[in-house]
Structure formats: C-alpha cells, structure tokens
Amino acid sequence: LEPGEASHLLQSQMPVKKESSLQTWSQTGILCLTSYRFYTGFLSATWMPYLLAMEGNALMGDKQPFFMGTAKLIYGTSIVMNPIFGLVGDQVAVVSHWSGRRVFVLLGVAAGGLGIYGCIVAAQIGSVWW
C-alpha cells in the first residue's frame, strides 16, 4: 500500500448514512402544535382591551386613550420584533456554546419582574407617573 491509500480503503468500506427525508405533518398535529397560540391570540383580542380600558380609566382618568395607545404600541412593537429577537437568539446560541439562550431567558425574567414590580407600585400609589 502506498501512503494515504489505507485511509481511502477504510472510507470506502464505511456505510454511508442517507439523509432522512422530511415528513409532512398531519392537520391534527399542526392543530395541536398551534393551539396554544390560538388561546393567547383570543386572550389578547378579548380580555386585554377590556382590561386596558378599565385600568386606563382607573389610573389615568381623562388620559385613558393615551394609556391605551401606549400599551397597544408596546404590545404591537413586541409582536413585530418577535422574529428579530428569535433570529438574534438563534445566532447567539450558535456562536456562544456555553450560554445558549440562558442570557435571553434571564433578561426576560428580570424585565418581567421589573414590570410586575412597577405594576404593584403604580397600584399602591394610584399613579403611573412615578
């Protein structure tokens, strides 16, 4: 055997894995996969406008439309930015092997906790201008 010929022989004898073809999802599977999104969409279309109207009136009085508009702007911006956040999270997970998405989860939990604390403070003092 000449140099390099043995590795060629070993590679030619190894079984080659075929890539599996993608399987199609059933309608029931897709329905089950997306059913939770129907619930959140239904909730944001029914309960949230009612809650914004009631809390806006209680917290802001005459400036209720400003309160509702600001809340809907924040919500709409988060929906529009969702694919961008997903793309950034995927890119960071590929580059940073040790942290993956942990940084984003921790930042999200911290931001959510700060928002909940802000809601508690606003409710206690009866003002959103703190």
Side-chain angles (χ1 to χ4, degrees), residues 27-49:
Q27 289 181 351
T28 307
I30 292 174
L31 180 67
C32 291
L33 186 67
T34 59
S35 62
Y36 78 98
R37 295 302 299 167
F38 174 77
Y39 171 74
T40 57
F42 181 76
L43 196 64
S44 66
T46 56
W47 175 243
M48 286 305 294

Side-chain angles (χ1 to χ4, degrees), residues 52-64 67 119 122-129:
L52 281 174
M54 294 296 115
E55 289 300 313
N57 188 27
L59 291 173
M60 301 288 284
D62 293 337
K63 296 183 181 178
Q64 178 187 12
F67 177 80
C119 289
Q124 286 179 349
I125 63 175
S127 174
V128 295
W129 303 110

Side-chain angles (χ1 to χ4, degrees), residues 76-101:
T77 303
S78 69
I79 289 174
V80 168
M81 297 293 287
N82 193 18
I84 295 169
F85 291 147
L87 181 64
V88 170
D90 290 345
Q91 296 298 323
V92 169
V94 168
V95 173
S96 176
H97 299 289
W98 68 271
S99 68
R101 292 180 174 86

Side-chain angles (χ1 to χ4, degrees), residues 95-110:
V95 173
S96 176
H97 299 289
W98 68 271
S99 68
R101 292 180 174 86
R102 288 183 215 146
V103 173
F104 294 104
V105 171
L106 290 174
L107 288 174
V109 168

